[in-house]
Amino acid sequence: MSERNTALLVPGHVDVDEVLTLLESVPGVGRGALAGDEAPRIGHGRRGGRDFTFIGWRLFELGGLTLLERSEDVDSDEPEVFVGDRLSSAHGDAVFLLYEEETAFGGYTWFHAGRLEERKAVDGRWGEVVSRGLREEHVVEDIDPSEWVWPLLAELIDEGSQLILGAPGLRTDDDIAALILSTEPKVCARDAAPAAQPAEPTEGRKRDKLKGFIKGLLKR
């Protein structure tokens, strides 16, 4: 995951303050976690006659997208689910895209009208190639070694990006990077404020991830 191959896209030009207010309301985050290096990048673009908003946040870009990695149910207060639910409630749709070429991993998650509507991922990080749908997971057979997972990943990124951008969609990590740059994203930090106290530790990657980010802020 990185800031060039991970994107959260929403239809229309969403107000920056609305995005910041939403992110600081994510359970376990708070105002202090939107300052400095943790400040999100937000940009507005237009493609194929459609306005859209790009949101980039280190919590997703470096921490990963939980829904693409897990086959089991994910809590509703998982940051990715929390943000997707609320953005799609307000604006109709929200799509997370990831194309990680180096590790052969990626796909998309689509939120519509306040709920997770679809998840499609291809994961070749551990030798065998696994395909994940909304509620199922299976090993992909008959992979062409000359093409590996790239055609499968391209199809998923194309499918997911068209939900926001229309046709033609994106197909590579370079396409995602170029789209992000086209929005001229700006770092949108809240004024420095004491970081929120981390929530009581619970099991799961989300709590560990958020605690790590907040602990780093407290040491500055």
Side-chain angles (χ1 to χ4, degrees):
M1 286 69 71
S2 77
E3 63 182 15
R4 74 176 302 277
N5 66 14
T6 306
L8 168 56
L9 303 178
V10 185
H13 288 173
V14 182
D15 183 74
V16 168
D17 189 65
E18 177 186 340
V19 175
L20 293 177
T21 298
L22 168 60
L23 296 184
E24 69 183 7
S25 71
V26 173
V29 179
R31 192 182 187 99
L34 300 182
D37 291 340
E38 312 311 328
R41 295 172 298 123
I42 302 170
H44 295 139
R46 185 174 178 82
R47 190 174 188 272
R50 299 191 185 197
D51 292 335
F52 68 94
T53 298
F54 158 74
I55 301 168
W57 196 20
R58 276 167 54 97
L59 188 64
F60 302 136
E61 294 169 340
L62 299 185
L65 298 178
T66 303
L67 286 172
L68 295 184
E69 298 187 23
R70 294 185 187 175
S71 56
E72 67 270 19
D73 291 338
V74 178
D75 293 340
S76 61
D77 63 348
E78 170 74 33
E80 182 183 341
V81 178
F82 186 92
V83 170
D85 282 351
R86 281 152 182 78
L87 281 174
S88 66
S89 291
H91 302 283
D93 296 286
V95 170
F96 288 87
L97 298 175
L98 170 64
Y99 188 118
E100 191 169 271
E101 184 176 25
E102 291 184 0
T103 60
F105 171 54
Y108 75 90
T109 55
W110 171 36
F111 293 83
H112 175 69
R115 58 173 288 177
L116 176 62
E117 193 72 23
E118 185 63 278
R119 179 271 297 271
K120 292 187 178 182
V122 172
D123 191 347
R125 293 175 297 176
W126 316 115
E128 62 183 11
V129 178
V130 174
S131 174
R132 297 189 183 99
L134 190 58
R135 291 183 174 81
E136 75 285 340
E137 176 179 306
H138 67 272
V139 175
V140 181
E141 306 289 351
D142 301 323
I143 292 290
D144 184 341
S146 67
E147 295 186 311
W148 191 222
V149 301
W150 315 131
L152 298 175
L153 278 175
E155 289 176 9
L156 295 188
I157 298 303
D158 187 13
E159 181 179 314
S161 60
Q162 286 196 40
L163 294 167
I164 303 296
L165 305 174
L170 311 178
R171 295 189 66 83
T172 69
D173 54 345
D174 288 338
D175 290 345
I176 295 175
L179 184 80
I180 292 172
L181 287 176
S182 75
T183 70
E184 300 181 349
K186 303 294 189 300
V187 175
C188 300
R190 288 296 200 192
D191 293 337
Q197 291 296 320
E200 288 298 317
T202 61
E203 292 185 14
R205 190 179 62 110
K206 179 199 64 172
R207 296 304 184 196
D208 292 339
K209 188 166 59 178
L210 290 174
K211 284 178 64 182
F213 276 117
I214 294 172
K215 185 180 295 183
L217 288 171
L218 293 172
K219 289 182 178 179
R220 292 176 186 173

